Amino acid sequence: FVRLALPASALRTEGVAAVATVYNYEPGEVTVRLELTLPAGLNVTGDRVRTVTVPGNSAQSTTYMLGCNAVGLHPLRLTGQTLASVGLADAVQRMLRVRPEGIERVLSYSKLMDVTAGAPASLSIPLQLPKDTVADSAHATVSITGDLMGAPLSGLEGLLRQPFGCGEQTMITLAPNVYALRYTSATGTATAEFTERATRNIRSGYVRELRYRHGDGSFSAFGERDDSGSSWLTAFVLKVFAEASEFAFIDPAVLTAAAGFLADTQKSGGAFPKVGTVCHDEMMGGAAGADGERAMTAFVGIALTEALDVLPAGAQKDRVRTAVQSAASYLVKGPTGPLQAGPAVYTACVRAYALQLMAKRGLATPAEAAAALDVVKAAATDDGGLANWNTDAAAGGSAKARATPECLGCGGHWRRPMSTSIEATAYATLALVQAGDMGLAYSAAKWLVSQQSETGAFRSTQDTIVGLQALAEYGAAIAAAKPTVAVVIEDGAGTTQQVQVDAGTWNVLQTREVAPTGTVAVSATGTGKVIALTTLKYNVPRDPEPPIFNLTTGCVFEGADRSRARCRFCTSLAPGQGSLTGQVMMELGLFTGYAFDTASISSLLANTRLKRIDQDQGKTQVYVDYLKGGEELCIVYDIIQQLVTQNLQPVPHLVYEYYSPDRKGAAMGHVADTYEGAGLAKALGEPGAHVGPVGGGWGLTGSASGAAPCGWLLGLVCMACLLQLR
């Protein structure tokens, strides 16, 4: 039989090796005629038809060098046939995805359209591509659904592009599935296939999360690698595990131990202080003292209140009940007057939701819960009929929902709200649903929908989880009648497409491709509510946003055969971007035909600042505990050639704060066009990680053979040129 080995993907203009192998299991030698059939977007160097002689019980290979000329998914077919007298034949088809060069940008806008008989709804969104858009990279779609949870339900496993390799991030594999199952059960839309898939995700997330459990029942981001458990993460895990126990087995001993750990941390006045590392620092209100501690108390109180529904009867459950009552007494002492935009708004929203839950279980009075909710209602901001709660004092008012976007792609056309503004609005929505105020809850739900990405996620792990819970509980509470809506989509090229949303299709995400330039007009007639999601994707040569992180990156071949390269990646906070980050993610791109050297990647963990390394889909993700202003983190690692690639193209590298992913930096990584000796690779240092002052001189920073001094990356190029001149 025949086999065709290809890289997972390639970049346009690269030449990649396609290795055709013929396996002969007959005892005698056979001669095989191979023919490679290609689409128009690919070309081959040399003959497409070749003859291979294969000895008995062995294999023989031949390599086709393919030129990647066009972006797209290209089918390749390899056929092998012996002489007619032998009568053996085989064929195989493989797909090669050719990607455009550059850095991908994804922009989206979502709107909840309320259609009533005789009053159609409409939406108009101009799409504009930047002048430096990479050719053939633009792609635009409009998706329509009558289901408030349509986008996230269509791809639960892919809600976030971000990795989930530590304790909190792992919960993204679990929590959205819980809320999805609750929602589909309440709306009667759960199917056997969906239920099985979501339940499987819950089980796998539960097992994975137990890796980060401490002996005292607490949890932390990296488990026993951390000095102690985290009260914030333990509360988060307890809440989600308690909710998940409705759908899958959760060991009651795990719940009891986590609740006991939290109860042990409570102060005599009822407050829950920060214990251990708080991954989600924004919830501390950006300020020390009562405001941050009140937010923490509300968060822990929510978890313990929900845990009471599933904890086994006994002394520990009674102790938890007493702790919740004490927390309620502390929370009711919160602010009663008007709130200014800022961290206090977040605290008020999470406090209101906590007291609503407690009041429903007799652990706080209805009057206390109502008073806390009144404070939240008074702090709401109205953006064109969309209610939201702004946590950004610098914004001076609205969190700026995308009610009327100027366009997608023209840059700077809206101010995206802080992640905590989304989270605060979600908590407010949850509190309103608990209180039965569905009018204001609907306005807030519309705002939340407008903040979703094309996958249904929001900006980070935490606001996605709380936001989806809010939309799911609102959608389940209203149990709205199924829409009957006819949608017409007209794009900038004048193409018109229709989408019908009715009782048979209301919970299906129906997607139509549209021209990526010009104005997209969406009109809807009939009765009911539908969501219209417009997404524009394109590539640019470089990230147009001002970088929060500075990056320098480059690789050098170690030998003339290019079988191995050594790479160096350095990052630091840009000037004026603060003195300390939260958890930082470094995403290392990978050149076509190469794989990361496992030993060199593993060596990075010798530096305790680096907590974990994951490899997935051609990228390596490095978890960095934090980064200080004025310091630079550099890592050195090796990559190994697996398939020959010609005309290697640069690949993007990315650094961002996990909990504020818009705080990022991006750069294109290159391989130096020289391979005259190992000296260049030695200049980059041995594999490992190093933290030092910015410009502190670690590695290649000086001159080479009389050349003028230059930075390490420029120095690498300078040295390469000098070697070539020799």
Side-chain angles (χ1 to χ4, degrees):
F1 67 93
V2 295
R3 179 176 179 270
L4 186 63
L6 294 170
S9 64
L11 290 167
R12 179 172 45 194
T13 76
E14 287 183 332
V16 298
V19 181
T21 303
V22 182
Y23 296 86
N24 176 20
Y25 292 103
E26 298 294 323
E29 178 183 277
V30 295
T31 299
V32 180
R33 179 183 182 273
L34 292 177
E35 181 175 357
L36 183 65
T37 304
L38 302 172
L42 302 175
N43 67 276
V44 64
T45 301
D47 297 328
R48 291 189 305 106
V49 178
R50 302 179 183 182
T51 300
V52 177
T53 299
V54 188
N57 296 311
S58 65
Q60 193 71 31
S61 297
T62 183
T63 299
Y64 294 92
M65 288 304 300
L66 306 177
C68 302
N69 305 318
V71 172
L73 189 61
H74 303 290
L76 295 88
R77 181 176 175 83
L78 178 69
T79 58
Q81 190 168 8
T82 62
L83 298 175
S85 58
V86 179
L88 299 176
D90 190 25
V92 63
Q93 180 167 302
R94 294 286 308 278
M95 306 297 290
L96 176 62
R97 182 176 297 280
V98 178
R99 298 177 286 115
E101 58 276 16
I103 297 173
E104 185 183 56
R105 299 271 291 166
V106 181
L107 304 174
S108 61
Y109 172 68
S110 185
K111 182 176 181 179
L112 181 58
M113 305 174 72
D114 197 345
V115 187
T116 57
S122 62
L123 172 65
S124 180
I125 307 176
L127 306 182
Q128 179 177 315
L129 296 174
K131 293 181 179 179
D132 60 348
T133 298
V134 173
D136 302 323
S137 68
H139 179 70
T141 59
V142 175
S143 299
I144 305 293
T145 181
D147 190 349
L148 200 62
M149 293 282 286
L153 289 180
S154 67
L156 282 171
E157 293 86 352
L159 272 175
L160 293 186
R161 291 189 178 88
Q162 295 158 286
F164 40 83
C166 79
E168 184 201 341
Q169 295 151 10
T170 295
M171 300 304 289
I172 195 62
T173 66
L174 198 161
N177 293 275
V178 175
Y179 305 133
L181 283 173
R182 281 184 167 183
Y183 173 77
T184 54
S185 298
T187 56
T189 57
T191 64
E193 179 184 1
F194 176 82
T195 300
E196 193 280 329
R197 177 164 61 98
T199 303
R200 182 177 64 248
N201 291 344
I202 290 173
R203 292 194 188 105
S204 63
Y206 168 64
V207 171
R208 188 181 298 114
E209 186 63 30
L210 292 179
R211 301 174 187 171
Y212 307 105
R213 186 170 181 250
H214 290 251
D216 59 4
S218 65
F219 291 79
S220 68
F222 296 98
E224 296 293 351
R225 291 195 65 184
D226 295 320
D227 294 335
S228 68
S230 162
S231 57
W232 182 84
L233 184 56
T234 302
F236 182 23
V237 172
L238 176 63
K239 167 182 160 57
V240 177
F241 278 10
E243 294 165 334
S245 64
E246 179 182 351
F247 306 104
F249 173 76
I250 305 294
D251 189 346
V254 172
L255 299 174
T256 300
F261 169 83
L262 292 171
D264 287 341
T265 68
Q266 190 173 34
K267 292 182 176 181
S268 58
F272 286 99
K274 168 186 173 180
V275 175
T277 301
V278 176
C279 299
H280 187 31
D281 284 328
E282 292 88 344
M283 83 159 299
M284 297 305 293
D291 199 50
E293 193 162 81
R294 188 167 286 112
M296 187 72 180
T297 300
F299 186 78
V300 175
I302 290 168
L304 291 175
T305 301
E306 295 200 19
L308 283 172
D309 296 339
V310 297
L311 286 177
Q316 187 71 294
K317 183 172 184 176
D318 294 339
R319 180 167 170 253
V320 170
R321 180 180 296 275
T322 300
V324 173
Q325 290 172 325
S326 180
S329 298
Y330 172 80
L331 290 174
V332 298
K333 299 173 185 176
T336 58
L339 299 176
Q340 297 295 321
V345 172
Y346 177 94
T347 300
C349 292
V350 67
R351 178 182 78 123
Y353 178 50
L355 287 171
Q356 285 291 329
L357 291 179
M358 293 170 182
K360 287 290 180 68
R361 293 161 176 81
L363 304 172
T365 69
E368 290 168 340
L373 187 57
D374 285 342
V375 174
V376 169
K377 291 179 180 179
T381 299
D382 187 326
D383 274 332
L386 306 183
N388 63 87
W389 281 262
N390 179 25
T391 64
D392 185 3
S398 165
K400 297 296 182 186
R402 296 174 287 182
T404 54
E406 179 183 329
C407 76
L408 289 182
C410 53
H413 51 284
W414 69 71
R415 183 184 184 281
R416 293 198 66 187
M418 293 177 65
S419 176
T420 46
S421 293
I422 295 171
E423 197 176 334
T425 302
Y427 276 123
T429 305
L430 288 166
L432 291 165
V433 170
Q434 288 290 323
D437 188 342
M438 304 311 292
L440 188 53
Y442 171 58
S443 178
K446 288 178 68 176
W447 186 87
L448 288 172
V449 167
S450 76
Q451 303 305 312
Q452 288 181 292
S453 72
E454 78 283 1
T455 65
F458 293 92
R459 291 186 63 187
S460 70
T461 302
Q462 190 59 24
D463 66 13
T464 292
I465 290 175
V466 183
L468 291 182
Q469 181 187 2
L471 290 177
E473 293 198 12
Y474 170 77
I478 60 173
K482 306 300 183 287
T484 302
V485 177
V487 179
V488 177
I489 304 168
E490 183 176 358
D491 66 15
T495 302
T496 299
Q497 303 178 71
Q498 297 183 348
V499 175
Q500 186 67 36
V501 181
D502 52 33
T505 62
W506 75 276
N507 60 342
V508 177
L509 189 68
Q510 302 184 64
T511 300
R512 302 290 186 267
E513 292 195 14
V514 296
T517 56
T519 298
V520 174
V522 180
S523 60
T525 57
T527 304
K529 297 178 177 64
V530 295
I531 293 174
L533 169 64
T534 305
T535 302
L536 176 64
K537 299 181 180 181
Y538 57 89
N539 285 27
V540 289
R542 62 194 61 83
D543 191 345
E545 302 293 335
I548 304 300
F549 293 91
N550 291 326
L551 279 72
T552 52
T553 179
C555 299
V556 185
F557 291 116
E558 288 195 73
D561 60 357
R562 300 193 173 196
S563 61
R564 192 178 188 92
R566 179 150 294 176
C567 303
R568 184 170 172 188
F569 184 161
C570 294
T571 186
S572 61
L573 270 172
Q577 294 301 328
S579 59
L580 182 67
T581 70
Q583 187 177 113
V584 171
M585 300 298 303
M586 302 174 71
E587 289 193 357
L588 317 180
L590 186 62
F591 297 102
T592 302
Y594 284 79
F596 291 103
D597 175 65
T598 303
S600 68
I601 291 293
S602 298
S603 71
L604 302 179
L605 290 176
N607 189 307
T608 57
R609 185 76 66 88
L610 277 59
K611 291 292 188 178
R612 181 185 172 97
I613 297 174
D614 288 336
Q615 296 190 48
D616 179 52
Q617 297 182 350
K619 294 184 296 186
T620 285
Q621 297 146 344
V622 181
Y623 296 72
V624 183
D625 202 11
Y626 61 89
L627 196 62
K628 295 180 180 179
E631 71 178 13
E632 184 176 56
L633 168 63
C634 291
I635 61 174
V636 177
Y637 57 94
D638 292 343
I639 57 175
I640 302 171
Q641 187 182 75
Q642 293 187 319
L643 290 171
V644 174
T645 304
Q646 298 172 347
N647 192 32
L648 273 179
Q649 294 299 299
V651 293
H653 298 267
L654 182 65
V655 177
Y656 60 91
E657 282 197 62
Y658 189 89
Y659 300 101
S660 300
D662 285 348
R663 288 178 55 81
K664 59 183 173 64
M668 300 300 293
H670 298 257
V671 173
D673 191 21
T674 182
Y675 44 91
E676 294 295 331
L680 283 173
K682 289 181 179 178
L684 297 184
E686 293 300 318
H690 175 85
V691 178
V694 173
W698 184 62
L700 185 59
T701 56
S703 60
S705 302
C710 47
W712 79 264
L713 183 59
L714 181 58
L716 183 153
V717 177
C718 293
M719 187 179 285
C721 295
L722 288 169
L723 285 173
Q724 285 184 321
L725 289 173
R726 291 174 186 170

